[in-house]
Amino acid sequence: QVQLVESGGGLVQAGGSLRLACGASGRSFSGYTMGWFRQAPGKEREFVASVTWSADYTYYADSVKGRFTISRDNAKNTVYLQMNSLKPEDTAVYYCAATPYSGRVTNEQLYPNWGQGTQITVSS
């Protein structure tokens, strides 16, 4: 009944930009923190960024800080991830997720709602 759907993935050259979007249906996720995670081949899923309900706080992994920007439009029930200066090491499946917890929530086990993921491939 609850569904998170990512879009905007694809193939891009190093140094390029992409914007991911995650739309929610089935419920509004009012008050929820929204996050982005990624999983590269052969590696565990890792935290990328998160934004609180009122967007008063954003958090980023050190590996993407200064390059990625997370934002949300609650009227559209959508969260975005703007990715600039992409590197080959950014290649991964990117997932959006929602959690009722507030603050800096980086543990994937605290996120009960997940999208199916979208592939980002950054070529050299």
Side-chain angles (χ1 to χ4, degrees), residues 75-111:
K76 296 181 178 179
N77 216 21
T78 302
V79 62
Y80 304 93
L81 185 68
Q82 178 67 47
M83 304 184 293
N84 298 326
S85 301
L86 284 162
K87 305 175 181 179
E89 46 265 48
D90 294 318
T91 295
V93 176
Y94 283 70
Y95 301 87
C96 68
T99 176
Y101 293 98
S102 61
R104 187 165 69 93
V105 187
T106 62
N107 188 344
E108 66 178 71
Q109 295 181 355
L110 299 179
Y111 286 77

Side-chain angles (χ1 to χ4, degrees), residues 1-123:
Q1 63 185 100
V2 61
Q3 188 176 44
L4 297 174
V5 180
E6 302 94 339
S7 63
L11 176 65
V12 65
Q13 289 189 328
S17 298
L18 287 172
R19 189 181 75 159
L20 302 182
C22 175
S25 62
R27 63 170 297 171
S28 66
F29 290 98
S30 178
Y32 276 50
T33 292
M34 300 296 296
W36 288 95
F37 293 77
R38 68 186 183 186
Q39 186 169 24
K43 297 183 178 180
E44 295 185 350
R45 190 157 55 188
E46 64 176 348
F47 171 81
V48 176
S50 66
V51 57
T52 56
W53 166 252
S54 59
D56 51 345
Y57 293 97
T58 58
Y59 304 95
Y60 298 93
D62 289 341
S63 60
V64 306
K65 190 175 297 183
R67 300 188 297 121
F68 291 11
T69 302
I70 188 171
S71 62
R72 68 191 299 165
D73 186 338
N74 291 338
K76 296 181 178 179
N77 216 21
T78 302
V79 62
Y80 304 93
L81 185 68
Q82 178 67 47
M83 304 184 293
N84 298 326
S85 301
L86 284 162
K87 305 175 181 179
E89 46 265 48
D90 294 318
T91 295
V93 176
Y94 283 70
Y95 301 87
C96 68
T99 176
Y101 293 98
S102 61
R104 187 165 69 93
V105 187
T106 62
N107 188 344
E108 66 178 71
Q109 295 181 355
L110 299 179
Y111 286 77
N113 302 287
W114 292 83
Q116 294 298 308
T118 185
Q119 177 71 48
I120 303 298
T121 302
V122 184
S123 62

